[in-house]
Amino acid sequence: YSTEQRGRPNSPDYRLYFKNADGKYISPFHDIPLFAGSKEDKEIPAKRSKTTGSEVLLNMIVEVPRWTNAKMEIATEEPLNPIKHDIKKGELRYVANIFPHKGYIWNYGALPQTWEDPNHADNTTGCCGDNDPVDVCEIGSKVRSSGEIVQVKVLGVLALIDEGETDWKIIAISADDPEAQKIHGKYLYIDDVKKHKPGYLEATIDWFQLYKVPDGKPENYFAFNGEFKNKDFAAEIIKSTHEHWKALLHKKVDGGTIKCTNVLVSGSPFCCSEEDARLIVQSAPPFMNGDSVPPEVDSWYFFPK
């Protein structure tokens, strides 16, 4: 996969569009397969996916590189779902540095072809989904780039309850990370994370609990008393949200303002032509070089001006 920038970085009109190996413009939300190594369609079974040992690998779309503050995200309400800078109350969003952390403490992103249905109450949390793809916290040693597609091994999951919605946080590690093979317990990958990356999971709880407090909001809380569930539990969450995504792309549920425009999903009524996709991208403002560091971010600490 490759990406194409449009608009000016660090501005409301910045967009990062995606292309596949054939040079076709695609939606990262819908056209990149959930399972790594799969053909680009919705019906690929896990047994045909790339594996490492006995593990099925998944594709992760990196939205936010580790240690950065800009809240970049897949634009679920725009055709072809480019990555954009999130805006709230007319201002670009940046997460505060929650002492002693700097920005996002993992490579943060999403699993393609998943959707947390806001009209479906989860059986375990009792709360509905947050209307987004499932979030991923990648804990490998390499700092990734926004728009990068990384093949990851799922380790577990945390259930954040964010303003009354279930917001699953998949904990994963890049398959090519030197420590990926050290995390191999049959069921308790999370215990292996505690062993090989001491303090990381505790920092994750701390970060998600507090990151909205500087914006004047209360602390977040978690289902299961903040317990990280194991990889098998995570796999069921991924499977369920993948099924919700399939229903969305085949118009079996009402997606509201979600844009389902895609190029490669077989049988989807939202499928568009390559030319239509090209016109969508070309309608966006042309790429313009911008400041590499936005004025809203001051060195180590973050102070909105």
Side-chain angles (χ1 to χ4, degrees):
Y1 298 98
S2 60
T3 55
E4 180 176 317
Q5 299 180 85
R6 306 287 293 190
R8 185 187 296 275
N10 309 310
S11 78
D13 65 2
Y14 179 76
R15 297 294 184 273
L16 191 65
Y17 286 93
F18 286 72
K19 291 181 179 180
N20 66 4
D22 297 327
K24 297 178 182 178
Y25 290 108
I26 60 168
S27 160
F29 186 5
H30 306 308
D31 291 318
I32 293 176
L34 172 61
F35 298 109
S38 298
K39 291 180 181 178
E40 290 167 312
D41 80 29
K42 65 181 180 63
E43 295 291 353
I44 300 302
K47 67 184 179 180
R48 294 173 62 184
S49 305
K50 188 176 290 187
T51 63
T52 174
S54 61
E55 296 302 317
V56 172
L57 301 183
L58 304 181
N59 285 318
M60 170 194 177
I61 304 158
V62 178
E63 295 166 308
V64 186
R66 184 167 45 233
W67 312 137
T68 63
N69 297 75
K71 193 176 190 308
M72 308 301 292
E73 63 179 16
I74 292 171
T76 58
E77 298 182 0
E78 295 182 14
L80 294 185
N81 317 113
I83 288 177
K84 69 170 186 176
H85 200 142
D86 188 29
I87 297 175
K88 195 157 191 177
K89 297 180 180 178
E91 299 289 334
L92 300 177
R93 289 185 68 188
Y94 298 89
V95 298
N97 293 316
I98 305 299
F99 183 85
H101 313 303
K102 170 65 178 76
Y104 286 78
I105 63 173
W106 345 256
N107 295 301
Y108 191 71
L111 293 178
Q113 298 188 342
T114 62
W115 180 53
E116 297 187 56
D117 188 344
N119 297 309
H120 172 78
D122 183 81
N123 293 333
T124 58
T125 67
C127 298
C128 293
D130 71 346
N131 206 29
D132 283 325
V134 175
D135 296 323
V136 185
C137 301
E138 194 278 318
I139 65 171
S141 55
K142 184 177 180 180
V143 176
R144 302 288 178 168
S145 301
S146 186
E148 191 171 352
I149 308 301
V150 180
Q151 295 178 358
V152 298
K153 172 180 176 177
V154 173
L155 308 177
V157 64
L158 177 68
L160 175 68
I161 306 300
D162 190 351
E163 300 183 23
E165 298 174 333
T166 304
D167 191 1
W168 295 106
K169 307 297 182 183
I170 299 293
I171 308 301
I173 190 167
S174 170
D176 62 5
D177 190 89
E179 293 189 316
Q181 296 308 312
K182 297 179 183 178
I183 302 174
H184 55 68
K186 186 173 181 182
Y187 301 108
L188 301 178
Y189 281 15
I190 287 297
D191 285 354
D192 277 353
V193 174
K194 293 176 182 177
K195 176 181 177 182
H196 296 290
K197 291 182 174 290
Y200 210 164
L201 296 181
E202 292 81 359
T204 295
I205 289 284
D206 185 58
W207 196 96
F208 278 121
Q209 186 170 4
L210 299 175
Y211 83 104
K212 288 189 176 181
V213 172
D215 296 329
K217 294 187 176 181
E219 294 183 3
N220 281 322
Y221 68 97
F222 308 90
F224 318 117
N225 295 316
E227 174 192 356
F228 286 86
K229 293 296 187 179
N230 66 23
K231 68 180 182 70
D232 292 335
F233 190 102
E236 289 302 312
I237 297 302
I238 294 166
K239 178 181 177 181
S240 172
T241 54
H242 185 46
E243 291 302 317
H244 290 310
W245 170 83
K246 287 182 182 179
L248 175 69
L249 264 287
H250 288 81
K251 220 170 184 177
K252 295 179 179 178
V253 295
D254 180 10
T257 57
I258 295 287
K259 285 291 187 291
C260 299
T261 310
N262 69 86
V263 180
L264 301 169
V265 182
S266 176
S268 171
F270 302 102
C271 201
C272 73
S273 69
E274 293 179 43
E275 177 63 14
D276 288 338
R278 187 182 66 81
L279 291 174
I280 289 170
V281 176
Q282 289 190 343
S283 68
F287 175 65
M288 299 178 67
N289 288 326
D291 296 329
S292 59
V293 178
E296 291 83 355
V297 177
D298 283 336
S299 186
W300 175 258
Y301 290 100
F302 165 77
F303 299 94
K305 293 182 176 179

